[in-house]
Amino acid sequence: MKWGIMVMNSRTSFINRGILGNDLKRFAWVGIVYLLGLLLAIPLKVFMIYSHLQAAGITDTASYSQVLNYDSSALQLLLLLIVPVLTGLLLFRYLQVSSAADMEHALPIRRQTLYNTHVLAGLIFLVVPLIVTALVTWALAAVWGIASLDGGAILTWLGTSLLLNLL
């Protein structure tokens, strides 16, 4: 009590750290598989093109511009369309199983907090692999001096991929 005014601290939160930690432990494999798939689809492809062009003695960088196109990599497009749906299904699966829904809703946590926590976990699983892939691709392009993979092209790919994931 300071100056005769009683201050109450609010203990409510938009997320529950226990539920978030549980989601991160249970479903971390989704983010890891997504990251590995994206690393196979983009930076590995850049590395393969670079090594092929270096072996042939070609200095043309036009072939790198197709790496970030979605129609050039079926794996990349498949990952961008399937992993967000799979993540949502896994995180909110408890709503389809009555015993799991009863258990989750019996916790002393508001339903809004449960929803916000699961959405945050899903965002972590979807956004972090995209950012890591963009950073690795940018680092490869910067180290090897690939002009067609500049920061603008990578940021455009990142923004489009984030939009596809979040929709």
Side-chain angles (χ1 to χ4, degrees), residues 50-65:
Y50 179 78
S51 63
H52 176 69
L53 292 179
Q54 289 298 316
I58 301 171
T59 59
D60 182 33
T61 62
S63 57
Y64 292 107
S65 62

Side-chain angles (χ1 to χ4, degrees), residues 59 67-68 93 126 167:
T59 59
V67 172
L68 297 177
R93 186 178 181 283
L126 296 175
L167 283 178

Side-chain angles (χ1 to χ4, degrees), residues 70-127:
Y70 298 109
D71 58 350
S72 68
S73 174
L75 175 64
Q76 177 185 354
L77 190 59
L78 189 70
L79 285 170
L80 288 173
L81 294 176
I82 298 223
V83 171
V85 174
L86 176 70
T87 303
L89 285 174
L90 288 172
L91 286 170
F92 291 100
R93 186 178 181 283
Y94 74 92
L95 292 173
Q96 282 78 36
V97 179
S98 64
S99 62
D102 292 342
M103 191 276 303
E104 287 274 340
H105 292 297
L107 295 172
I109 301 168
R110 293 177 45 212
R111 291 181 182 191
Q112 180 181 6
T113 303
L114 268 175
Y115 176 77
N116 291 338
T117 304
H118 290 308
V119 167
L120 178 64
L123 287 174
I124 290 170
F125 294 142
L126 296 175
V127 171

